[in-house]
Amino acid sequence: MARKTSGGKKKFSRSQRRTQLLERAVVLRVPARTDVCVVGGGAAGLVAATCAAEAGASVVLLERDLECGRTILATGNGRCNFCNVDLDLRRYRHPDFVGQVFGERPLDEVLTFWRDCGLRWSLEEDRLYPLSRRAASVRNVLLARVRRSGAILAPARTVVSCKRVTDGFELGFSLEGSGAVQTLRARRVIWAAGGLHATVEADLSPLGLASTPGRPVLCPVSCKRDPLLELDGRRFHGAVSLIPQGSHFPCWRERGEVMLRDYGLSGIVVFDLSRRCAPGDAVELDMAPNLSRSELQALMDDRGKGTFRPGCLDGVLDPDLAALLERLSAGDPQRLIDLVKAYRLTVTGTVDAAHAQVMSGGLSVGGFTAQTLEAKSQPGFFACGEALDVDADCGGFNLAWTWKSAMVAGGAAARDL
């Protein structure tokens, strides 16, 4: 039963809300034909539908969830770091392809889109957040704009098939709670479903589109058991290097806060590491990146006796961490310096996939034209966002790709109709 809030408004339970949303979805009539069908009503799908509709195409968006854009609410821990002012291509998988999609002024184009939605933002370091610091603001203004565009949003519909027909594509979809499969003919298709929250069950292999298997990334990394990991919950600001299995040299290094967990490592810098590491690789931790070995030596052995005094690093590291490293060094000052500057762990995989921020993998970028995001082998079929094999580091880079790729695909799909 609904109850009233302090403001006098009715607040529905979760089950009541679901029932209400499903009732709305059931009465919505989906036309038999449309110019453009967007598959997936997440961040990319909503932007693509907006751009295609504003370019003059009739648009139907099919989404499995009961509401569109719900995945936006979880971004940035609910704050939605929606872009970065430094869209460094080195942060992305397939940077050459991403650079072609981005063009010369991706930041200006993305911010113009959001400014036209009515969103305003603020800058924290190089990261952009809505002024409200709530992801709901981003979702709300986007939903308002796509509805103004005339696009039809059809939630509670799971796409189960997509095949080419004479005049474009035929998509089969089922309404939640109904076993019946309905069909929709579309001259163009924009595939915006992918990643952790894929909203379809359709198999695209009949279309001959190659793909890369997905795996959750931007999540904690698990490591082999080690005494360091017994300090569960301890943090330090350090430098993390990745040394591939069989190599003696690091292929990647970045600074940031590291959290020790009983299973491995966590923290933003570790999330970025998760995109690059594989089981068997080594992670090298520099727990005092602002101090050289000689400076550490001076702190530990200021009288040059070749020893160190207990607690000598308490002013540099967490005291419990310093005590553990002292114990592991067995009284050898050079060994202690090595542990501080180059502590090694062995990667076993990634963990907490349910809370990963993105999914790597997806439709292979080699099968798409960068300037339009149209499939080379399937004219009229477009893809954007996490549906493509593009992912990036934390910091607003993934959402920047989502917005810009959806703008490109939406505009291109509506062109020349």
Side-chain angles (χ1 to χ4, degrees), residues 379-403:
F381 186 97
F382 301 78
C384 59
E386 283 192 74
L388 289 163
D389 182 22
V390 173
D391 60 274
D393 290 332
C394 297
F397 299 103
N398 285 290
L399 280 178
W401 162 255
T402 293
W403 314 135

Side-chain angles (χ1 to χ4, degrees), residues 39 78 127 148 176 248 404:
V39 180
R127 303 180 182 202
R148 288 194 303 268
E176 182 171 325
H248 298 288
K404 177 57 181 174

Side-chain angles (χ1 to χ4, degrees), residues 131-391:
L131 277 180
S132 66
R133 297 301 194 278
R134 291 193 61 197
S137 294
V138 177
R139 177 184 183 240
N140 288 354
V141 298
L142 179 55
L143 283 173
R145 182 170 175 181
V146 70
R147 285 169 179 148
R148 288 194 303 268
S149 74
I152 297 174
L153 302 182
R157 288 162 171 86
T158 299
V159 175
V160 296
S161 64
C162 179
K163 64 181 180 179
R164 178 169 284 285
V165 292
T166 303
D167 55 349
F169 299 86
E170 183 179 272
L171 296 105
F173 64 91
S174 60
L175 178 66
E176 182 171 325
S178 170
V181 175
Q182 304 174 55
T183 59
L184 170 65
R185 289 282 184 103
R187 296 169 66 186
R188 310 274 169 83
V189 169
I190 302 176
W191 204 263
L196 295 165
H197 307 284
T199 58
V200 296
E201 296 177 357
D203 179 12
L204 293 180
S205 58
L207 296 179
L209 299 173
S211 63
T212 301
R215 68 182 182 96
V217 295
L218 298 189
C219 58
V221 170
S222 60
C223 302
K224 285 186 178 180
R225 293 185 61 181
D226 188 276
L228 184 67
L229 305 183
E230 296 173 8
L231 297 177
D232 186 25
R234 295 294 190 277
R235 303 169 185 260
F236 63 88
H237 189 90
V240 179
S241 299
L242 175 64
I243 303 173
Q245 187 173 15
S247 174
H248 298 288
F249 304 100
C251 64
W252 175 83
R253 177 182 171 90
E254 189 169 308
R255 289 192 182 198
E257 185 179 73
V258 177
M259 176 185 286
L260 301 174
R261 303 309 307 265
D262 56 3
Y263 57 75
L265 304 171
S266 188
I268 297 298
V269 66
V270 176
F271 286 8
D272 290 346
L273 169 71
S274 70
R275 298 181 54 240
R276 300 166 170 89
C277 66
D281 291 346
V283 176
E284 191 171 86
L285 304 175
D286 182 348
M287 303 180 206
N290 294 324
L291 296 176
S292 66
R293 286 177 173 267
S294 59
E295 288 171 322
L296 282 174
Q297 178 77 43
L299 280 172
M300 293 163 36
D301 185 19
D302 53 358
R303 297 184 180 181
K305 294 184 177 182
T307 58
F308 63 83
R309 53 183 173 77
C312 62
L313 295 179
D314 283 353
V316 176
L317 302 175
D318 176 289
D320 292 338
L321 177 57
L324 173 66
L325 299 182
E326 287 178 16
R327 177 169 59 83
L328 295 177
S329 69
D332 182 346
Q334 292 306 311
R335 172 63 176 157
L336 179 56
I337 292 174
D338 288 340
L339 291 172
V340 173
K341 298 295 288 181
Y343 198 108
R344 286 202 178 190
L345 298 169
T346 301
V347 174
T348 58
T350 55
V351 294
D352 201 16
H355 294 93
Q357 296 184 29
V358 298
M359 179 82 79
S360 72
L363 295 170
S364 300
V365 298
F368 289 80
T369 302
Q371 289 72 23
T372 61
L373 293 179
E374 185 175 21
K376 296 175 181 177
S377 63
Q378 292 291 341
F381 186 97
F382 301 78
C384 59
E386 283 192 74
L388 289 163
D389 182 22
V390 173
D391 60 274

